Amino acid sequence: MAVSQKFLLRVHLTTDVVVKVSLTKRPESVEELITILREKLNPRLDFEFTLQYEDPDFNGQLTCLLDIQELPEKGTLKVLRSESDVSSCASSDTDILPHVPLAQRLKCWPDTFPVPTFSYEVEHLLEEGNRAFEMFGKHLKLTRAQKHNILETMASVMHTFKAYPSDGDVGLAAEALVTTHPCLKEPGSRNGSYGWKTSLKFKMGNYRTKLARSGCVEVSVNAGRRSVNNPEGEHPHSNIKRARRAEVNYLPNFPRGEDQVSLEDMRVQIKNEVEKTEPNKVMIEKLMQTTFALRRHEIVQDNPMVKNFLEKWPALRFDSQVSICAEFHRVTDINLRNQFYAELDRHTPRLMALYRQKAARTGKISEALRTILNHYDLQAPDINVKRTAVLRALPVYLREEDPEFFKTCNADTLDESTLIDTPVALLTVVTDGASQTSPVHFTSSSMAIVVEGDLVMRDIPRFADAFALLFGLIYALHLDYPRKLVHTFTFVQKIFMGLVDGKPLKPCLHALKNDLLLKE
């Protein structure tokens, strides 16, 4: 009697979502495997994707799965959203994210801080101290020079993640230090690292001063303020220019070998190329990557009007859906489309359940949610309809509502002069016969984004696309969140995009996050 072949697969849906899938037999083809996974993991895989597997011939390195016979009986797969997926913000073969210059950071603050290697003398001392602590519980006593070496090296590594780490970030670094080297624990401290945390804070301040003197723009922009020698200067604690929403590259230095004059020449070259009948998209993207630091300097330091800035950098309007996603990636090192849609689809079932629970009660918020859900229930089942309902109901659920943000107009009667006083808005363009008073439109002809009274982006196919692009635009242009929808955009930032800035969540957002994590 033949033994039936069984396949156990560990499937990575996102960076932090992994599921186990069991198959009774090997699929006939890769396409059949994709169909099976889509059925088993619906709605999480309700988009176009390809598969990679850990190839045992290359020590577990990821390889594209092209032949189903290469699939091991017990293996690990990784899902990659296809760039041609229609649910993405755009589909373009020019969505290029080229090599990032050395002046830019490539990573955000890690969950587990990597303790660096110190000088040879200190490493030898710590090795002996850890052994003595393990055997006798004896703590190590450092000289001033040895402690200086530890703090200086730690500060250097911390700066590779953030120039201005938060209190929690410094605390994680201090805890990682005493965990790696337990002989450094302080007997009088609750967790053994409080003194190290305080020392690291002061050392980071000293380290930033050295960097400012060396010309590092990220910190020198805040130097030269009021002091004994400069009594008329700006207050040292006011208008500090630093990353406040977990930006990885907030104010990078110019690329090596470039200065403001050479980068300005590249900007003019970009502008001339965009105006051509058939512009070279690859060249534009490479030049936009090189001139990223120049744009950040203008945005952060000069705070220009959005319309004037986009006129100066027309490439952000040219193929704008791709350009904004690329610019967001430069600022945060996160793929806007993949992250936004993966987390939105992941939380959609639970969010819809919470909306329906709230809608079953009484009150204005419940009534507004009922209206949105009643419109949703009349639509044909579709992933884009579901995304629209979730995003449109989110501010209502959080008790935020701004009629000036969600605007509706007829395609034939669109008058841009009526938008002059609009700070920021998502504009739904409907066809004749559609009700402009409806709270949500699932079949709009297109979407547009309004910033400072200017239509900065048009012809966006879906509501969810427009929402994601507006979020990316806020980061790309260093804009404030809409005043009446701060909680909504903070939720998208921290829960959907994973951009944790070290600040605690507001009570309403913390409660919603806990509700999302609860199992029914």
Side-chain angles (χ1 to χ4, degrees):
M1 181 177 177
V3 179
S4 61
Q5 192 177 21
K6 185 176 180 180
F7 287 81
L8 282 178
L9 302 177
R10 189 169 182 262
V11 184
H12 288 257
L13 302 181
T14 62
T15 54
D16 57 350
V17 179
V18 183
V19 297
K20 183 173 74 172
V21 176
S22 300
L23 304 178
T24 56
K25 62 176 183 178
R26 184 188 297 273
E28 296 295 328
S29 64
V30 176
E31 290 73 19
E32 182 180 345
L33 174 60
I34 290 176
T35 302
I36 293 173
L37 292 177
R38 185 176 280 118
E39 291 174 353
K40 286 180 174 288
L41 303 176
N42 190 52
R44 289 178 173 174
L45 292 182
D46 198 358
F47 54 82
E48 294 299 321
F49 62 90
T50 56
L51 294 172
Q52 291 182 341
Y53 74 102
E54 292 185 354
D55 193 338
D57 294 335
F58 296 98
N59 297 322
Q61 295 294 314
L62 288 173
T63 307
C64 289
L65 182 62
L66 302 177
D67 185 355
I68 196 63
Q69 297 302 322
E70 296 175 347
L71 181 68
E73 294 183 17
K74 189 175 182 181
T76 299
L77 296 176
K78 182 178 181 180
V79 172
L80 292 179
R81 185 185 290 266
S82 173
E83 288 298 320
S84 61
D85 175 26
V86 296
S87 65
S88 297
C89 297
S91 58
S92 171
D93 57 356
T94 62
D95 189 8
I96 305 169
L97 297 175
H99 173 68
V100 181
L102 292 176
Q104 297 180 24
R105 288 191 176 89
L106 300 176
K107 48 199 172 184
C108 55
W109 195 273
D111 294 331
T112 302
F113 187 85
V115 177
T117 301
F118 306 111
S119 67
Y120 179 80
E121 175 205 356
V122 173
E123 282 293 326
H124 177 73
L125 191 69
L126 291 174
E127 182 180 351
E128 296 296 325
N130 290 334
R131 187 179 297 114
F133 181 84
E134 184 179 350
M135 296 177 62
F136 309 111
K138 184 179 178 181
H139 294 84
L140 180 64
K141 192 169 183 178
L142 300 170
T143 65
R144 183 175 181 178
Q146 292 163 351
K147 186 173 183 179
H148 172 79
N149 177 260
I150 292 175
L151 294 175
E152 190 79 12
T153 308
M154 287 286 290
S156 176
V157 174
M158 290 164 68
H159 181 264
T160 63
F161 301 111
K162 284 183 182 180
Y164 295 90
S166 66
D167 182 81
D169 294 334
V170 179
L172 289 175
E175 289 180 12
L177 175 63
V178 298
T179 301
T180 305
H181 302 292
C183 62
L184 297 178
K185 288 185 177 180
E186 300 162 328
S189 174
R190 180 177 59 84
N191 55 6
S193 64
Y194 181 80
W196 284 106
K197 175 181 174 181
T198 303
S199 297
L200 284 173
K201 280 185 176 181
F202 281 103
K203 178 54 68 175
M204 277 302 297
N206 295 337
Y207 192 76
R208 284 193 294 267
T209 301
K210 292 181 181 179
L211 292 176
R213 290 171 180 169
S214 69
C216 180
V217 181
E218 191 176 24
V219 290
S220 65
V221 68
N222 297 315
R225 292 169 178 265
R226 188 185 305 172
S227 64
V228 176
N229 298 325
N230 184 23
E232 302 300 325
E234 191 176 6
H235 193 280
H237 299 298
S238 68
N239 194 27
I240 298 294
K241 299 182 185 300
R242 63 180 180 182
R244 300 186 185 277
R245 294 194 296 238
E247 298 96 336
V248 175
N249 292 299
Y250 177 74
L251 193 59
N253 286 332
F254 292 153
R256 187 174 300 168
E258 305 291 348
D259 57 17
Q260 188 160 355
V261 175
S262 63
L263 294 177
E264 180 64 21
D265 291 340
M266 292 183 191
R267 184 195 68 79
V268 175
Q269 188 179 353
I270 293 171
K271 191 172 183 179
N272 294 335
E273 189 67 29
V274 170
E275 293 172 353
K276 293 181 180 179
T277 306
E278 295 183 0
N280 187 331
K281 296 181 179 180
V282 174
M283 186 183 77
I284 290 174
E285 179 61 29
K286 288 182 178 179
L287 289 174
M288 287 292 286
Q289 178 70 22
T290 306
T291 56
F292 169 65
L294 179 61
R295 287 193 300 281
R296 292 303 295 178
H297 284 223
E298 293 180 11
I299 290 172
V300 174
Q301 295 180 283
D302 300 337
N303 195 24
M305 294 290 292
V306 171
K307 185 176 182 179
N308 296 337
F309 183 79
L310 293 179
E311 288 176 355
K312 191 174 181 180
W313 295 92
L316 291 173
R317 285 184 184 268
F318 171 74
D319 202 4
S320 57
Q321 297 185 28
V322 173
S323 299
I324 294 303
C325 290
E327 193 78 351
F328 179 84
H329 186 276
R330 297 181 191 109
V331 175
T332 65
D333 195 37
I334 290 178
N335 187 301
L336 175 63
R337 295 179 295 180
N338 289 359
Q339 179 72 15
F340 181 82
Y341 284 109
E343 292 303 300
L344 174 60
D345 294 343
R346 173 191 170 194
H347 292 299
T348 287
R350 183 61 182 156
L351 282 171
M352 290 297 288
L354 293 173
Y355 295 162
R356 293 191 183 279
Q357 290 177 12
K358 185 72 172 179
R361 301 171 187 170
T362 59
K364 290 183 179 180
I365 302 299
S366 300
E367 183 179 349
L369 284 173
R370 274 197 303 273
T371 303
I372 295 174
L373 293 175
N374 287 341
H375 280 76
Y376 165 75
D377 292 335
L378 297 176
Q379 309 300 314
D382 180 78
I383 184 63
N384 293 309
V385 170
K386 189 175 293 185
R387 288 169 175 170
T388 300
V390 169
L391 291 172
R392 183 61 186 87
L394 180 60
V396 179
Y397 186 86
L398 294 173
R399 298 178 179 273
E400 292 184 319
E401 189 62 22
D402 185 4
E404 293 298 314
F405 180 79
F406 296 106
K407 285 181 172 288
T408 306
C409 74
N410 192 284
D412 298 325
T413 60
L414 175 58
D415 184 4
E416 294 188 30
S417 62
T418 61
L419 304 173
I420 293 177
D421 297 327
T422 303
V424 59
L426 288 180
L427 181 64
T428 304
V429 183
V430 298
T431 55
D432 289 334
S435 173
Q436 296 189 30
T437 59
S438 175
V440 58
H441 295 272
F442 294 100
T443 56
S444 61
S445 61
S446 67
M447 297 289 302
I449 296 176
V450 181
V451 178
E452 294 181 0
D454 181 37
L455 273 173
V456 296
M457 297 181 70
R458 303 167 179 257
D459 302 322
I460 305 170
R462 289 167 291 272
F463 181 89
D465 297 342
F467 201 105
L469 286 169
L470 174 58
F471 186 83
L473 199 66
I474 288 173
Y475 269 76
L477 301 182
H478 192 50
L479 304 175
D480 293 331
Y481 289 150
R483 187 169 57 87
K484 295 183 180 180
L485 297 173
V486 172
H487 291 342
T488 300
F489 279 85
T490 302
F491 179 85
V492 173
Q493 171 197 324
K494 297 189 177 184
I495 307 302
F496 285 176
M497 303 306 299
L499 292 166
V500 181
D501 53 19
K503 301 174 185 176
L505 287 171
K506 298 295 183 182
C508 62
L509 297 180
H510 192 75
L512 178 55
K513 180 182 179 181
N514 289 340
D515 288 338
L516 289 178
L517 297 177
L518 289 176
K519 294 183 179 180
E520 294 181 328

